[in-house]
Amino acid sequence: MALYRDVGLSINHLVLDISAGRIALPDIQRPFVWSSAKARDLFDSMYRGFPIGTIMLWETGVESGTRQIGNAEGTTPKYLIVDGQQRLTSLYAVLTGQQVLTKTFQHKRIRIAFRPSDETFEVTDAAIERDPEFVADITALWAEGRKKTLRRFFKRMDETRNGGLSQAEEDMMEECLERVHELKEY
């Protein structure tokens, strides 16, 4: 029996397992401590193709001494996170729009924005919410759907830019937003 095996799972697969309660945290893990800026940097690194480290899971099937990342109560997890809690929690929170529980026991939603014109990720704030150059919350790409989010973004860009976007600009921005959407397969 192998003590360790390397399994290539996509972010989407891991997020679905967290949602279903198959991946949980052992009680000994520290609480979520990352800032939204760290989550932004994680998405930026993935977008640029940089490695983001190994996620280490322990196959256990034991319920006692665990807590869920997501909302799947009453499920016995199959895997416990040994290393990668901050990354997995950030990915789960951004892809699903779910809130995270911070070290001060406050619920917080991580909102990351993306400006396709220069491929920039930012932490969403009031100024970015008003800026039509940004998709103010990339969670919409997965939660509401890529096509709907693209249509809303391009409509807003056309309304605010004199003369609208050229076909080349629209094609480039659509390609960039498609790359963000495909991060779920990272």
Side-chain angles (χ1 to χ4, degrees), residues 131-146:
D131 189 339
E133 297 282 328
F134 279 95
V135 171
D137 187 354
I138 62 173
T139 299
L141 289 166
W142 303 285
E144 297 173 19
R146 179 185 53 80

PDB file of all heavy atoms in Angstrom, residues 131-146:
ATOM      1  N   ASP A 131     -15.899  51.191 -12.013  1.00  0.00           N
ATOM      2  CA  ASP A 131     -15.044  51.241 -13.197  1.00  0.00           C
ATOM      3  C   ASP A 131     -15.493  50.198 -14.228  1.00  0.00           C
ATOM      4  O   ASP A 131     -15.377  48.998 -14.010  1.00  0.00           O
ATOM      5  CB  ASP A 131     -13.592  50.970 -12.780  1.00  0.00           C
ATOM      6  CG  ASP A 131     -12.590  51.216 -13.896  1.00  0.00           C
ATOM      7  OD1 ASP A 131     -12.989  51.210 -15.078  1.00  0.00           O
ATOM      8  OD2 ASP A 131     -11.404  51.403 -13.576  1.00  0.00           O
ATOM      9  N   PRO A 132     -15.995  50.645 -15.376  1.00  0.00           N
ATOM     10  CA  PRO A 132     -16.497  49.703 -16.384  1.00  0.00           C
ATOM     11  C   PRO A 132     -15.396  48.858 -17.031  1.00  0.00           C
ATOM     12  O   PRO A 132     -15.697  47.869 -17.696  1.00  0.00           O
ATOM     13  CB  PRO A 132     -17.173  50.607 -17.416  1.00  0.00           C
ATOM     14  CG  PRO A 132     -16.494  51.922 -17.257  1.00  0.00           C
ATOM     15  CD  PRO A 132     -16.130  52.037 -15.810  1.00  0.00           C
ATOM     16  N   GLU A 133     -14.150  49.213 -16.829  1.00  0.00           N
ATOM     17  CA  GLU A 133     -13.039  48.455 -17.403  1.00  0.00           C
ATOM     18  C   GLU A 133     -12.814  47.130 -16.671  1.00  0.00           C
ATOM     19  O   GLU A 133     -12.080  46.279 -17.147  1.00  0.00           O
ATOM     20  CB  GLU A 133     -11.746  49.285 -17.356  1.00  0.00           C
ATOM     21  CG  GLU A 133     -11.787  50.555 -18.170  1.00  0.00           C
ATOM     22  CD  GLU A 133     -11.592  50.313 -19.664  1.00  0.00           C
ATOM     23  OE1 GLU A 133     -10.873  49.369 -20.046  1.00  0.00           O
ATOM     24  OE2 GLU A 133     -12.175  51.085 -20.446  1.00  0.00           O
ATOM     25  N   PHE A 134     -13.412  46.984 -15.490  1.00  0.00           N
ATOM     26  CA  PHE A 134     -13.242  45.786 -14.664  1.00  0.00           C
ATOM     27  C   PHE A 134     -14.479  44.899 -14.695  1.00  0.00           C
ATOM     28  O   PHE A 134     -15.604  45.397 -14.719  1.00  0.00           O
ATOM     29  CB  PHE A 134     -13.001  46.161 -13.193  1.00  0.00           C
ATOM     30  CG  PHE A 134     -11.597  46.544 -12.858  1.00  0.00           C
ATOM     31  CD1 PHE A 134     -11.217  47.872 -12.857  1.00  0.00           C
ATOM     32  CD2 PHE A 134     -10.662  45.573 -12.524  1.00  0.00           C
ATOM     33  CE1 PHE A 134      -9.919  48.236 -12.524  1.00  0.00           C
ATOM     34  CE2 PHE A 134      -9.364  45.925 -12.194  1.00  0.00           C
ATOM     35  CZ  PHE A 134      -8.986  47.255 -12.196  1.00  0.00           C
ATOM     36  N   VAL A 135     -14.251  43.599 -14.627  1.00  0.00           N
ATOM     37  CA  VAL A 135     -15.269  42.671 -14.154  1.00  0.00           C
ATOM     38  C   VAL A 135     -15.064  42.724 -12.644  1.00  0.00           C
ATOM     39  O   VAL A 135     -14.047  42.240 -12.136  1.00  0.00           O
ATOM     40  CB  VAL A 135     -15.065  41.244 -14.709  1.00  0.00           C
ATOM     41  CG1 VAL A 135     -16.010  40.266 -14.034  1.00  0.00           C
ATOM     42  CG2 VAL A 135     -15.229  41.218 -16.212  1.00  0.00           C
ATOM     43  N   ALA A 136     -15.985  43.368 -11.951  1.00  0.00           N
ATOM     44  CA  ALA A 136     -15.775  43.720 -10.544  1.00  0.00           C
ATOM     45  C   ALA A 136     -15.716  42.519  -9.606  1.00  0.00           C
ATOM     46  O   ALA A 136     -15.154  42.618  -8.524  1.00  0.00           O
ATOM     47  CB  ALA A 136     -16.850  44.697 -10.077  1.00  0.00           C
ATOM     48  N   ASP A 137     -16.276  41.395 -10.018  1.00  0.00           N
ATOM     49  CA  ASP A 137     -16.263  40.197  -9.179  1.00  0.00           C
ATOM     50  C   ASP A 137     -16.191  38.985 -10.105  1.00  0.00           C
ATOM     51  O   ASP A 137     -17.191  38.601 -10.709  1.00  0.00           O
ATOM     52  CB  ASP A 137     -17.519  40.152  -8.310  1.00  0.00           C
ATOM     53  CG  ASP A 137     -17.490  39.027  -7.285  1.00  0.00           C
ATOM     54  OD1 ASP A 137     -16.554  38.205  -7.300  1.00  0.00           O
ATOM     55  OD2 ASP A 137     -18.418  38.983  -6.460  1.00  0.00           O
ATOM     56  N   ILE A 138     -15.005  38.398 -10.206  1.00  0.00           N
ATOM     57  CA  ILE A 138     -14.826  37.290 -11.150  1.00  0.00           C
ATOM     58  C   ILE A 138     -15.629  36.058 -10.772  1.00  0.00           C
ATOM     59  O   ILE A 138     -15.812  35.168 -11.605  1.00  0.00           O
ATOM     60  CB  ILE A 138     -13.334  36.924 -11.351  1.00  0.00           C
ATOM     61  CG1 ILE A 138     -12.679  36.459 -10.045  1.00  0.00           C
ATOM     62  CG2 ILE A 138     -12.588  38.081 -12.010  1.00  0.00           C
ATOM     63  CD1 ILE A 138     -11.262  35.918 -10.211  1.00  0.00           C
ATOM     64  N   THR A 139     -16.150  35.999  -9.564  1.00  0.00           N
ATOM     65  CA  THR A 139     -17.023  34.888  -9.171  1.00  0.00           C
ATOM     66  C   THR A 139     -18.170  34.733 -10.173  1.00  0.00           C
ATOM     67  O   THR A 139     -18.624  33.617 -10.440  1.00  0.00           O
ATOM     68  CB  THR A 139     -17.576  35.118  -7.752  1.00  0.00           C
ATOM     69  OG1 THR A 139     -16.485  35.188  -6.838  1.00  0.00           O
ATOM     70  CG2 THR A 139     -18.526  34.009  -7.326  1.00  0.00           C
ATOM     71  N   ALA A 140     -18.618  35.838 -10.748  1.00  0.00           N
ATOM     72  CA  ALA A 140     -19.725  35.800 -11.715  1.00  0.00           C
ATOM     73  C   ALA A 140     -19.414  34.888 -12.901  1.00  0.00           C
ATOM     74  O   ALA A 140     -20.328  34.281 -13.467  1.00  0.00           O
ATOM     75  CB  ALA A 140     -20.037  37.206 -12.206  1.00  0.00           C
ATOM     76  N   LEU A 141     -18.152  34.766 -13.279  1.00  0.00           N
ATOM     77  CA  LEU A 141     -17.789  33.906 -14.413  1.00  0.00           C
ATOM     78  C   LEU A 141     -18.214  32.458 -14.178  1.00  0.00           C
ATOM     79  O   LEU A 141     -18.563  31.744 -15.119  1.00  0.00           O
ATOM     80  CB  LEU A 141     -16.287  33.969 -14.677  1.00  0.00           C
ATOM     81  CG  LEU A 141     -15.759  35.267 -15.270  1.00  0.00           C
ATOM     82  CD1 LEU A 141     -14.236  35.336 -15.162  1.00  0.00           C
ATOM     83  CD2 LEU A 141     -16.210  35.409 -16.717  1.00  0.00           C
ATOM     84  N   TRP A 142     -18.177  32.009 -12.923  1.00  0.00           N
ATOM     85  CA  TRP A 142     -18.546  30.632 -12.595  1.00  0.00           C
ATOM     86  C   TRP A 142     -19.972  30.553 -12.046  1.00  0.00           C
ATOM     87  O   TRP A 142     -20.700  29.635 -12.372  1.00  0.00           O
ATOM     88  CB  TRP A 142     -17.550  30.042 -11.596  1.00  0.00           C
ATOM     89  CG  TRP A 142     -16.155  30.100 -12.129  1.00  0.00           C
ATOM     90  CD1 TRP A 142     -15.615  29.291 -13.091  1.00  0.00           C
ATOM     91  CD2 TRP A 142     -15.140  31.036 -11.768  1.00  0.00           C
ATOM     92  NE1 TRP A 142     -14.319  29.672 -13.339  1.00  0.00           N
ATOM     93  CE2 TRP A 142     -14.002  30.735 -12.539  1.00  0.00           C
ATOM     94  CE3 TRP A 142     -15.078  32.094 -10.870  1.00  0.00           C
ATOM     95  CZ2 TRP A 142     -12.816  31.453 -12.434  1.00  0.00           C
ATOM     96  CZ3 TRP A 142     -13.900  32.809 -10.761  1.00  0.00           C
ATOM     97  CH2 TRP A 142     -12.790  32.482 -11.540  1.00  0.00           C
ATOM     98  N   ALA A 143     -20.345  31.492 -11.212  1.00  0.00           N
ATOM     99  CA  ALA A 143     -21.647  31.430 -10.535  1.00  0.00           C
ATOM    100  C   ALA A 143     -22.797  31.806 -11.468  1.00  0.00           C
ATOM    101  O   ALA A 143     -23.859  31.190 -11.417  1.00  0.00           O
ATOM    102  CB  ALA A 143     -21.644  32.339  -9.304  1.00  0.00           C
ATOM    103  N   GLU A 144     -22.598  32.811 -12.305  1.00  0.00           N
ATOM    104  CA  GLU A 144     -23.663  33.265 -13.199  1.00  0.00           C
ATOM    105  C   GLU A 144     -23.484  32.751 -14.619  1.00  0.00           C
ATOM    106  O   GLU A 144     -24.399  32.825 -15.420  1.00  0.00           O
ATOM    107  CB  GLU A 144     -23.714  34.798 -13.211  1.00  0.00           C
ATOM    108  CG  GLU A 144     -24.064  35.387 -11.865  1.00  0.00           C
ATOM    109  CD  GLU A 144     -23.950  36.901 -11.842  1.00  0.00           C
ATOM    110  OE1 GLU A 144     -23.949  37.521 -12.927  1.00  0.00           O
ATOM    111  OE2 GLU A 144     -23.863  37.454 -10.737  1.00  0.00           O
ATOM    112  N   GLY A 145     -22.281  32.314 -14.924  1.00  0.00           N
ATOM    113  CA  GLY A 145     -21.989  31.813 -16.260  1.00  0.00           C
ATOM    114  C   GLY A 145     -21.096  32.760 -17.035  1.00  0.00           C
ATOM    115  O   GLY A 145     -21.218  33.981 -16.927  1.00  0.00           O
ATOM    116  N   ARG A 146     -20.203  32.176 -17.779  1.00  0.00           N
ATOM    117  CA  ARG A 146     -19.226  32.949 -18.559  1.00  0.00           C
ATOM    118  C   ARG A 146     -19.907  33.841 -19.591  1.00  0.00           C
ATOM    119  O   ARG A 146     -19.612  35.028 -19.687  1.00  0.00           O
ATOM    120  CB  ARG A 146     -18.237  31.995 -19.222  1.00  0.00           C
ATOM    121  CG  ARG A 146     -17.184  32.662 -20.075  1.00  0.00           C
ATOM    122  CD  ARG A 146     -16.320  31.648 -20.801  1.00  0.00           C
ATOM    123  NE  ARG A 146     -17.080  30.679 -21.569  1.00  0.00           N
ATOM    124  CZ  ARG A 146     -17.599  30.902 -22.789  1.00  0.00           C
ATOM    125  NH1 ARG A 146     -17.448  32.068 -23.360  1.00  0.00           N
ATOM    126  NH2 ARG A 146     -18.262  29.957 -23.416  1.00  0.00           N
TER     127      ARG A 146
END
